[in-house]
Amino acid sequence: MPICHIACLDAVDFCVLTNMAAMCRRLGFQVTWSKTVEPCSLLVVMRGERFSQNDIGCLPEGTPAVVFGYVGKSCEEILHSLRDRAGKILFLPTSQKLVPQDIAGINVHVAPPPVYPELWKKELKAGKYPYTYLGNRKNLGDDPWQKRLEGWIKGGDVEVWGRWWNGHCPVVKQHGPVTIFTVPEIYRSTIYSLGLMYPFQRDTGMFSGRYWLAPLCGAHVLVECENYCEAPGIVLYQGDVLPDALDDLDARRALQGEAVSFWRQKTAALERVIQDWLKNLDGKLDLSRRPRRAVGLKGDLVTMGLKASSIIESIALSRGKDLSPLTKLGFWK
């Protein structure tokens, strides 16, 4: 079976990684991942701005590569490095604004990353939380969007999960770190999930996990700027006042159904794009390549490896522990 290696070069979005691994298995690959590039039949670059010298040096020449651009950062350096080394390249940005000018020899298709609703959707509960914010506190200085969000948080309107909120959020509204396995449980009882992007991500087509995960669990998402993928359930902030959080369970179920249908269609279309691209590769995929060091991802549902790493990370962070010793367990590379 050909090996697909997913490289998360600068960080690991476990929810996105779970969906990508599921897609690669559906395309007929055995899947591994790490924060480095490894020899493989197909390389998938999930996120990152550039390769290290060691990364690009260990990639066998002619290896086909798929590059996702969903974080809002430029992928130009990665694409150009791969063009000099790889075989064929497929670039999948979330908006046309993320497509670099020099794309000679690179196939481009604008699309959001894959989402498999069956992995994430939950039976809805009553709207226990009118407004939630799931994320670590960002240090954005005088950013007006952050000031607005923190004004609502300090006023006690928002339930908060994440780190570094001491002194910026009422203690009774703080719930600590969250893992990808508890996020759906929160969203299924949420009416509005609040978002906050880094300035460089605004107006670039950045694709946040809450864009798909919250609506799949019946919650709307409040954001600063345009929804490039036209996903259901995403609402722009309107001034300094939060919208009325009316707990209409039927309306939330309708939103969930719309989100399930939308992401099934989008992901099926993305699978077809990648399948067609793979069929057009010169020759066959090299089945002899095996990663030197990587974490294997097996099964059709969220893997135990991801679950264990997420739980361990949450416990360590809640106790202020350094994660570096945990690399020995194989969850962080």
Side-chain angles (χ1 to χ4, degrees):
M1 180 179 291
I3 296 286
C4 171
H5 181 70
I6 302 174
C8 313
L9 300 176
D10 61 356
V12 182
D13 298 324
F14 283 113
C15 57
V16 180
L17 175 59
T18 300
N19 284 321
M20 287 196 182
M23 180 187 70
C24 293
R25 286 194 297 269
R26 285 171 58 86
L27 294 173
F29 291 90
Q30 181 181 336
V31 184
T32 63
W33 76 275
S34 71
K35 282 194 170 184
T36 60
V37 172
E38 299 291 339
C40 54
S41 309
L42 174 69
L43 175 67
V44 172
V45 180
M46 193 175 97
R47 56 173 294 165
E49 291 184 83
R50 60 187 58 86
F51 293 114
S52 70
Q53 200 63 39
N54 184 62
D55 278 338
I56 201 65
C58 80
L59 185 68
E61 290 190 15
T63 303
V66 178
V67 179
F68 285 87
Y70 69 92
V71 181
K73 296 180 180 180
S74 171
C75 294
E76 185 170 11
E77 190 172 333
I78 277 186
L79 291 170
H80 290 174
S81 296
L82 283 172
R83 189 169 57 188
D84 297 335
R85 186 84 183 182
K88 298 292 181 68
I89 303 169
L90 175 61
F91 180 42
L92 298 167
T94 49
S95 84
Q96 194 65 36
K97 292 189 175 186
L98 293 171
V99 179
Q101 289 186 335
D102 180 9
I103 56 170
I106 299 171
N107 292 284
V108 177
H109 180 82
V110 176
V115 174
Y116 292 93
E118 290 72 20
L119 295 178
W120 307 102
K121 67 185 181 75
K122 294 282 188 178
E123 182 67 28
L124 305 190
K125 292 183 177 180
K128 177 181 178 181
Y129 308 122
Y131 310 101
T132 61
Y133 180 78
L134 278 62
N136 301 325
R137 184 180 182 271
K138 298 177 173 68
N139 184 15
L140 302 184
D142 293 330
D143 182 78
W145 289 107
Q146 183 174 37
K147 285 186 174 182
R148 187 174 303 174
L149 172 66
E150 293 195 356
W152 292 322
I153 289 174
K154 289 177 181 178
D157 295 322
V158 185
E159 305 289 334
V160 176
W161 282 261
R163 292 175 284 156
W164 308 318
W165 284 103
N166 288 338
H168 302 278
C169 174
V171 174
V172 296
K173 296 291 183 177
Q174 292 186 48
H175 301 277
V178 66
T179 75
I180 61 170
F181 296 91
T182 53
V183 168
E185 292 295 330
I186 297 167
Y187 282 150
R188 71 194 292 201
S189 300
T190 294
I191 299 175
Y192 282 102
S193 171
L194 280 60
L196 178 68
M197 303 178 192
Y198 287 98
F200 73 85
Q201 295 175 317
R202 294 169 188 155
D203 201 35
T204 62
M206 189 278 293
F207 179 81
S208 168
R210 64 171 54 89
Y211 282 18
W212 53 269
L213 188 45
L216 283 175
C217 297
H220 283 83
V221 183
L222 288 168
V223 298
E224 304 103 304
C225 52
E226 184 180 352
N227 169 19
Y228 285 89
C229 66
E230 299 180 347
I234 302 179
V235 181
L236 290 175
Y237 286 114
Q238 299 294 327
D240 295 323
V241 180
L242 289 171
D244 291 336
L246 302 176
D247 187 17
D248 186 336
L249 198 55
D250 288 338
R252 291 171 56 215
R253 288 193 180 108
L255 169 61
Q256 182 183 49
E258 186 180 355
V260 168
S261 177
F262 177 89
W263 288 113
R264 281 176 178 166
Q265 292 177 20
K266 283 287 185 181
T267 301
L270 177 62
E271 286 182 357
R272 290 193 294 271
V273 167
I274 298 176
Q275 284 173 332
D276 290 344
W277 176 76
L278 289 171
K279 288 176 183 177
N280 290 327
L281 293 178
D282 295 331
K284 296 182 178 179
L285 294 170
D286 190 333
L287 303 184
S288 65
R289 295 171 183 165
R290 292 290 183 269
R292 301 165 301 169
R293 55 186 186 279
V295 179
L297 297 177
K298 300 178 181 179
D300 294 327
L301 297 178
V302 179
T303 64
M304 289 302 295
L306 285 177
K307 185 170 184 178
S309 62
S310 185
I311 292 172
I312 292 170
E313 178 186 31
S314 177
I315 294 172
L317 292 176
S318 68
R319 297 178 178 176
K321 300 295 185 181
D322 181 9
L323 289 179
S324 55
L326 299 178
T327 57
K328 296 178 182 178
L329 297 177
F331 297 130
W332 290 271
K333 295 291 180 180

